[in-house]
């Protein structure tokens, strides 16, 4: 079953975050993932949720998501994101 990573990201250090942003696509691709949403305009239509940045990734299944997220390939980049931004990240199985 297809799985998604949904991340709400508030960038606190744009210079450091740029290093993360530049390095992550190659790791996503290595694990068979692809970007569905990467930043862009957000328009709130219901409720009070208005993230400053939203990212949605698609992978073949939840196991592949976890392989990517916990991989050595992503480890150092994830540490950069943790320093440069405040994030909320979900793994979701979908259709």
């Amino acid at each position: 079953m297809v799985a998604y990573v949904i991340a709400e990201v508030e960038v606190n250090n744009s210079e450091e975050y740029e290093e993360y942003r530049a390095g992550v696509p190659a790791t996503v691709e290595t694990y068979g993932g692809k970007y569905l949403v990467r930043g862009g305009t957000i328009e709130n239509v219901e409720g009070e949720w208005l993230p400053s940045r939203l990212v949605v990734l698609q992978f073949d299944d939840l196991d592949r998501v976890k392989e990517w997220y916990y991989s050595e390939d992503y480890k150092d980049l994830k540490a950069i994101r943790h320093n440069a931004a405040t994030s909320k990240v979900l793994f979701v199985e979908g259709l």
Side-chain angles (χ1 to χ4, degrees), residues 3-7 9 17 20-21 23-35 38 55-79 81-82 89-91:
Y4 302 92
V5 176
I6 301 172
V9 181
Y17 189 80
Y20 169 81
R21 199 174 74 75
V24 171
T27 69
V28 170
E29 186 177 314
T30 295
Y31 289 83
K34 67 179 179 179
Y35 284 89
R38 189 177 190 196
V55 177
V56 179
L57 304 173
Q58 178 182 324
F59 289 84
D60 290 339
D61 55 42
L62 194 55
D63 288 338
R64 202 65 170 150
V65 168
K66 291 177 182 179
E67 287 175 21
W68 166 73
Y69 189 81
Y70 297 112
S71 71
E72 287 297 314
D73 297 324
Y74 185 53
K75 180 182 174 182
D76 291 342
L77 290 165
K78 185 171 32 176
R81 177 174 52 80
H82 287 163
V89 179
L90 301 170
F91 299 164

Side-chain angles (χ1 to χ4, degrees), residues 11-22 76-77 79-85:
V11 177
N12 303 316
N13 181 328
S14 56
E15 280 185 27
E16 190 173 9
Y17 189 80
E18 183 58 34
E19 182 180 350
Y20 169 81
R21 199 174 74 75
D76 291 342
L77 290 165
I80 292 169
R81 177 174 52 80
H82 287 163
N83 284 331

